[in-house]
Amino acid sequence: MTYPIATISPYGPDASLATKLVVAIHRRPRDRNPVMREWETSGQDVRNDPMVSGEVASFIQEHRAHETVSADRIIGCPHEEGIDYPLGRTCPQCPFWAGLDRFTHEPLPVATATLPVDEVLAVLSREHSVQPQEALESADAHQAALVDPLLAAMERVLADPVDVSDADAILFAYALYLLAKWREPRAYPFVVRWLSLPEEVPFEIAGDVVTQDGARMLAAVCDGDLEPLKRLAAYPGADEYGRGAAIGALALVAAWAEVPRDRVIEVLRWLAQEGLEREPSHAWDSLVGACHDVEAVELFDLLRDAYQVGLVDRMYMAESELDRLQAAPRGRQLAEIRERHPPIDDVADDISWWSSFSARKAVPARTRKIGRNEPCPCGSGKKYKKCCGA
């Protein structure tokens, strides 16, 4: 192929009517920022509109495209996931596409169970050298039957978080991922309770899941209710990384379009003005990160004040990052966050970093040779949790 290349993609509420046409000019292979233009119609097929056809031709000529590639069918809903409706969910305005592959128009594969419920629970209560793919696939097929047992397992752990068996700790970790994948709101209070535990206890239960995916889990199960996130973020008795997960979740629910961005901005404003104690903490670092992620430029003056009085660790994020984002076009950072931190969708892939699957120290590790508040053995002078244990 000779670049630039123009691609023409039609979208519609079903497979017969295209109401939106997107033309992208790719200037090079794997161009991540193609030049794009959209056309929309109401009631008539955009592909048959002569005015649109003329404008499309002019747009392609203007950008000197050498080749044009056009989809031979409507390739999905005209609404944008993560913008017009929440990321990882189905469009409420276009039910036709629910459960269909938008390219082939064939039904998406349905999870099938090859293991019974009891065996799934037994398998997910043991460590494995590879991801237990069969048990996870069977879990999806048994979703309705597994929610209550998984919630019960979480309750057992949280009822006595100090004396947790290895089997319950492992099942707890799998429950976190599965219930987040299923967007189960009944898991919300359990996840909040876990991350509200005092210093180190959340890690003793589920290891580095706290920092790796705690924010994604909270965002997945909160069902638009920001109050528990707000309380956890401001709770000084919680582990600082649990508080950071709550603040990170605030950014994610805005990026995923689970909650209107304005609602999230107001919670972040409250945290900056009165919710967080006026002393340096990881919560302040997380607040800066969340405001950066959701492009909350209206709060940047408050954050700069926090930098000036030493509340934010400049090693976490330099103040110049705020200046750089403020000068950049809006929307890019939000798009990057959606791409880097999507909802949990493939549990086997999302847990591939666990210690039992790789040499990397991760979860569900039950012992620690170095305390997270001890000096880091690398000699940096920092606490282990802020250095090699981060």
Side-chain angles (χ1 to χ4, degrees):
M1 289 187 172
T2 305
Y3 288 83
I5 291 173
T7 59
I8 302 176
S9 305
Y11 301 86
D14 56 38
S16 61
L17 176 66
T19 58
K20 179 178 179 179
L21 202 66
V22 178
V23 179
I25 307 297
H26 301 265
R27 292 155 293 191
R28 63 189 70 85
R30 296 179 292 280
D31 188 351
R32 297 192 64 180
N33 295 294
V35 180
M36 301 178 68
R37 185 172 171 186
E38 300 177 0
W39 289 263
E40 294 190 57
T41 58
S42 177
Q44 76 174 86
D45 198 304
V46 68
R47 296 169 295 184
N48 300 329
D49 188 314
M51 182 175 294
V52 170
S53 297
E55 292 180 2
V56 167
S58 297
F59 179 71
I60 292 173
Q61 291 172 4
E62 175 188 348
H63 291 279
R64 303 177 183 274
H66 290 285
E67 296 185 45
T68 300
V69 178
S70 182
D72 64 353
R73 68 193 70 187
I74 295 171
I75 56 171
C77 163
H79 305 103
E80 294 188 57
E81 185 181 355
I83 297 176
D84 298 316
Y85 65 95
L87 194 67
R89 299 187 185 269
T90 56
C91 176
Q93 300 181 62
C94 302
F96 173 85
W97 295 104
L100 290 183
D101 184 296
R102 66 189 184 98
F103 295 105
T104 67
H105 299 185
E106 296 293 325
L108 293 170
V110 177
T112 57
T114 56
L115 299 177
V117 169
D118 289 349
E119 190 168 348
V120 169
L121 292 169
V123 170
L124 299 184
S125 298
R126 301 192 300 268
E127 282 197 9
H128 303 275
S129 59
V130 296
Q131 294 93 320
Q133 189 73 49
E134 183 181 16
L136 293 172
E137 291 174 358
S138 294
D140 282 331
H142 289 307
Q143 177 179 339
L146 276 173
V147 169
D148 284 341
L150 292 177
L151 294 176
M154 297 181 79
E155 175 59 43
R156 287 197 304 274
V157 168
L158 295 172
D160 187 6
V162 176
D163 188 19
V164 179
S165 70
D166 287 346
D168 275 348
I170 295 168
L171 184 57
F172 184 94
Y174 279 113
L176 287 170
Y177 281 91
L178 287 168
L179 294 168
K181 176 183 179 178
W182 300 337
R183 302 291 186 94
E184 177 51 63
R186 286 186 291 164
Y188 191 23
F190 293 94
V191 182
V192 170
R193 282 172 60 190
W194 165 54
L195 293 171
S196 297
L197 292 169
E199 191 163 2
E200 295 304 302
V201 179
F203 290 93
E204 293 301 326
I205 293 173
D208 292 337
V209 173
V210 176
T211 49
Q212 187 80 5
D213 289 314
R216 294 168 75 203
M217 291 164 174
L218 284 168
V221 299
C222 74
D223 200 28
D225 183 3
L226 301 186
E227 282 303 312
L229 296 179
K230 181 179 176 180
R231 290 194 297 270
L232 173 53
Y235 177 41
D239 180 90
E240 61 178 327
Y241 290 95
R243 299 175 69 187
I247 296 171
L250 288 167
L252 290 182
V253 294
W256 296 353
E258 285 283 332
V259 172
R261 178 180 171 278
D262 289 347
R263 282 183 56 200
V264 171
I265 295 297
E266 287 312 303
V267 176
L268 297 175
R269 185 191 303 278
W270 177 81
L271 289 170
Q273 290 180 326
E274 56 183 295
L276 298 185
E277 61 273 23
R278 305 299 291 182
E279 59 183 57
S281 69
H282 181 67
W284 275 105
D285 299 340
S286 299
L287 180 63
V288 170
C291 290
H292 181 272
D293 288 344
V294 299
E295 302 178 353
V297 295
E298 57 266 66
L299 304 185
F300 281 10
D301 285 345
L302 290 173
L303 300 182
R304 291 188 178 98
D305 290 343
Y307 273 102
Q308 293 307 308
V309 296
L311 298 176
V312 181
D313 183 354
R314 285 182 166 85
M315 294 295 290
Y316 182 87
M317 179 179 289
E319 194 172 350
S320 59
E321 291 297 316
L322 302 182
D323 300 330
R324 187 175 295 111
L325 179 66
Q326 198 159 14
R330 296 292 171 267
R332 288 184 181 176
Q333 183 63 25
L334 272 170
E336 181 179 335
I337 292 305
R338 282 193 290 271
E339 182 177 348
R340 285 173 46 207
H341 302 291
I344 291 167
D345 180 58
D346 183 338
V347 173
D349 181 64
D350 280 309
I351 65 173
S352 62
W353 58 278
W354 283 12
S355 59
S356 55
F357 309 138
S358 70
R360 175 179 171 183
K361 181 175 175 60
V363 299
R366 302 288 294 138
T367 60
R368 293 177 181 275
K369 294 182 178 179
I370 304 169
R372 293 175 65 81
N373 283 312
E374 295 176 20
C376 188
C378 76
S380 67
K382 297 182 179 181
K383 291 182 179 180
Y384 178 66
K385 66 185 178 183
K386 289 187 177 289
C387 191
C388 295

